[in-house]
Amino acid sequence: MDKLLIRGGRRLAGTVDISGAKNAALPELCAALLTTDVVTLENVPGLQDVTTMLKLIRNMGVQAERAEAVGGRVTLDASGLSSPEAPYELVKTMRASVLALGPLLARFGEATVSLPGGCAIGSRPVDQHIKGLQAMGSEILVEHGYMIAKVPSGPDGQPGRLKGCRITTDMVTVTGTENFMMAATLAEGETILENAAQEPEIGDLAEMLIKMGAQIEGHGSRRIRIQGVPRLHGCTHRVVADRIETGTFLCAVAATGGDVVLRHGRADHLDAVIDKLREAGAVIEAGEGFIRIRAHGRLQAQSFRTTEYPGFPTDMQAQFMALNTIAQGASTVTETIFENRFMHVNEMVRLGAKIQIEGKVAVSEGVESLSGATVMATDLRASASLVIVGLVAEGQTIIDRIYHLDRGYDQMEAKLRGIGADIERLR
Ligand code: UD1
């Protein structure tokens, strides 16, 4: 199993290119299932989760060509899709596989998708996905670990069509909103999504669907209206920049000190994190297609609570906590989205961080220095936070189980090496 070896204590300086967003690319790959035309995605990041999603849709009979050398271009042709099924072996490694359910039901009137099961950061049920798609007229049976979904066929015996309706979810769900939005594009009549997620990736997916001929309004707000159309056509779409990768590099520079430009970074998608970094003492400038961060010495620790967009993202909680561990002063971090998302804390403590967990709150007292240790990555963003503490710590840090990192970061260690980090992969 690959590991990362980091020799900490280096200042970071230079330029990093931010990749396309994982959480936009995954639903957008599934959106290609909605049409028999060719769909081209550009700026698709080179990640394990993208590889898994491509495997999943190829397994259904979709032709998919990936040309990473050509700006991360992926060409998809779902005209020959013959088997609208997502098996457990693939779904278990990536919860986002549930995003195939809405498009498959909308185009074929049937789909069989494995339940994702639990994951390290919490139980993460899909009850809202099921409830919403049932409200659109599909029958969903949960049997032998699978969601077996079908839209009753019409009097002509043809596969049935989903029906537009109003969906109000119990909580804000990102992939739930995406599933309903994709399903509604081909449904009969109008669908109104109340309590919709507002994450930038939802907006990016909506823009892609609109290029395909979908009629969508209100994306980016709490209420999205979709007027169903009989069919969608192909399009070319560029995946939006990854705000979580951007935020991860910003926290890394804030923690180590340095002067780094993030090319293609979108500051307007990261207000909550950038505000906290500025309050901590980092100097951040942003313009069209770039963000520059400068940081010197120990910054000031910041308290925050994670919430849905535009609040502080749960996907940035661990990385900002890494900065807090060596900043000046005490801070509290409250995790409100997932129930078990503090697994990085015990690993950070092994490097000398002072953090205590009390339920949903982690209280930390910044220390002057950390010392390198061997730690274990437990999930995607926890892994990134351990890289940050490793970059700061004196001596060597070895991070085990970095396959978690490879799921969601495009060449992280190469990018860090490019700005002066001493980091290498041990195979
Ligand atoms: C997405 C992101 C993930 C991010 C998360 C929260 C993708 C591929 N992943 O995950 O990186 O951490 O948003 O910003 O975009 N819930 C239910 N029932 C459901 C659906 C959700 O109880 O049917 C709960 C979840 O357990 C969680 C909360 O709702 O506590 C929010 O989850 P959700 O927004 O759905 O997360 P994902 O879409 O899976």
Side-chain angles (χ1 to χ4, degrees):
M1 225 181 280
D2 290 7
K3 297 180 173 71
L4 281 180
L5 166 63
I6 304 173
R7 291 180 197 87
R10 295 229 185 163
R11 203 174 161 271
L12 301 177
T15 302
V16 172
D17 283 328
I18 296 301
S19 298
K22 166 177 95 68
N23 288 353
L26 297 177
E28 287 166 3
L29 290 168
C30 289
L33 305 178
L34 288 162
T35 176
T36 52
D37 291 353
V38 171
V39 166
T40 303
L41 288 175
E42 290 168 350
N43 202 32
V44 177
L47 317 167
Q48 188 55 41
D49 273 9
V50 166
T51 306
T52 305
M53 187 60 92
L54 287 172
K55 208 166 163 188
L56 187 86
I57 62 177
R58 280 186 184 127
N59 195 54
M60 296 175 189
V62 175
Q63 303 250 0
E65 306 286 332
R66 187 178 190 178
E68 280 184 44
V70 193
R73 182 182 301 158
V74 174
T75 312
L76 303 135
D77 176 352
S79 59
L81 197 156
S82 51
S83 147
E85 286 168 24
Y88 177 65
E89 293 65 44
L90 293 171
V91 175
K92 72 175 181 198
T93 61
M94 187 183 63
R95 181 186 153 82
S97 316
V98 74
L99 286 164
L101 184 60
L104 288 175
L105 265 181
R107 190 170 136 210
F108 296 96
E110 59 175 340
T112 301
V113 174
S114 168
L115 285 169
C119 80
I121 63 173
S123 62
R124 300 182 84 175
V126 286
D127 57 310
Q128 300 300 309
H129 296 249
I130 294 177
K131 185 177 110 172
L133 293 167
Q134 280 173 335
M136 294 180 83
S138 64
E139 291 165 356
I140 305 183
L141 205 69
V142 177
E143 221 174 51
H144 308 301
Y146 278 82
M147 294 178 275
I148 303 162
K150 195 169 170 46
V151 187
S153 34
D156 53 359
Q158 291 296 311
R161 197 170 161 200
L162 290 169
K163 290 191 178 45
C165 67
R166 179 186 291 264
I167 301 174
T168 308
T169 43
D170 295 355
M171 77 288 292
V172 177
T173 153
V174 176
T175 48
T177 302
E178 291 165 346
N179 239 338
F180 305 146
M181 195 162 73
M182 290 191 279
T185 57
L186 291 179
E188 221 177 291
E190 186 179 61
T191 301
I192 298 176
L193 305 180
E194 304 281 6
N195 206 19
Q198 295 174 280
E199 270 66 1
E201 294 76 24
I202 307 261
D204 199 54
L205 172 64
E207 280 167 29
M208 171 184 175
L209 293 167
I210 290 168
K211 285 180 201 160
M212 294 170 76
Q215 293 186 12
I216 304 176
E217 279 173 21
H219 43 290
S221 77
R222 280 268 170 263
R223 174 186 287 161
I224 305 179
R225 298 174 92 99
I226 306 114
Q227 192 67 46
V229 295
R231 67 189 55 79
L232 295 176
H233 50 76
C235 76
T236 296
H237 181 75
R238 188 176 171 79
V239 179
V240 69
D242 196 315
R243 67 196 162 96
I244 305 300
E245 185 194 27
T246 307
T248 302
F249 277 97
L250 288 175
C251 286
V253 179
T256 58
D259 182 351
V260 170
V261 173
L262 303 176
R263 224 166 10 203
H264 315 304
R266 290 276 302 258
D268 56 329
H269 290 168
L270 213 53
D271 286 335
V273 175
I274 288 178
D275 285 354
K276 287 285 170 195
L277 286 168
R278 285 190 172 132
E279 283 170 42
V283 178
I284 299 179
E285 297 160 54
E288 190 69 37
F290 83 94
I291 304 175
R292 179 180 181 194
I293 176 163
R294 279 171 290 164
H296 300 286
R298 278 179 86 193
L299 302 193
Q300 204 65 43
Q302 299 296 311
S303 296
F304 61 90
R305 47 190 295 129
T306 62
T307 57
E308 296 88 12
Y309 190 85
F312 195 100
T314 175
D315 284 352
M316 281 302 304
Q317 180 253 103
Q319 302 90 310
F320 207 106
M321 198 190 292
L323 166 62
N324 278 346
T325 62
I326 46 91
Q328 293 189 50
S331 57
T332 57
V333 170
T334 309
E335 172 59 53
T336 73
I337 308 289
F338 293 112
E339 71 265 30
N340 189 22
R341 211 172 192 181
F342 282 143
M343 279 173 302
H344 43 284
V345 167
N346 283 337
E347 303 301 306
M348 289 179 180
V349 167
R350 305 195 67 245
L351 278 81
K354 284 193 184 161
I355 315 171
Q356 282 193 329
I357 303 172
E358 289 164 21
K360 289 177 164 188
V361 184
V363 182
S364 85
E365 177 68 45
V367 294
E368 275 187 38
S369 63
L370 295 169
S371 60
T374 298
V375 290
M376 193 144 73
T378 48
D379 67 68
L380 171 56
R381 306 305 170 186
S383 318
S385 73
L386 295 177
V387 170
I388 296 175
V389 286
L391 291 171
V392 176
E394 289 163 6
Q396 276 194 189
T397 293
I398 293 177
I399 307 177
D400 203 351
R401 298 203 181 167
I402 54 154
Y403 57 84
H404 290 292
L405 198 72
D406 296 333
R407 278 192 43 213
Y409 286 91
D410 189 356
Q411 301 181 59
M412 189 188 226
E413 78 259 26
K415 289 185 184 184
L416 282 170
R417 252 198 318 272
I419 51 174
D422 186 344
I423 178 169
E424 64 180 287
R425 185 175 286 249
L426 307 175
R427 293 183 193 273

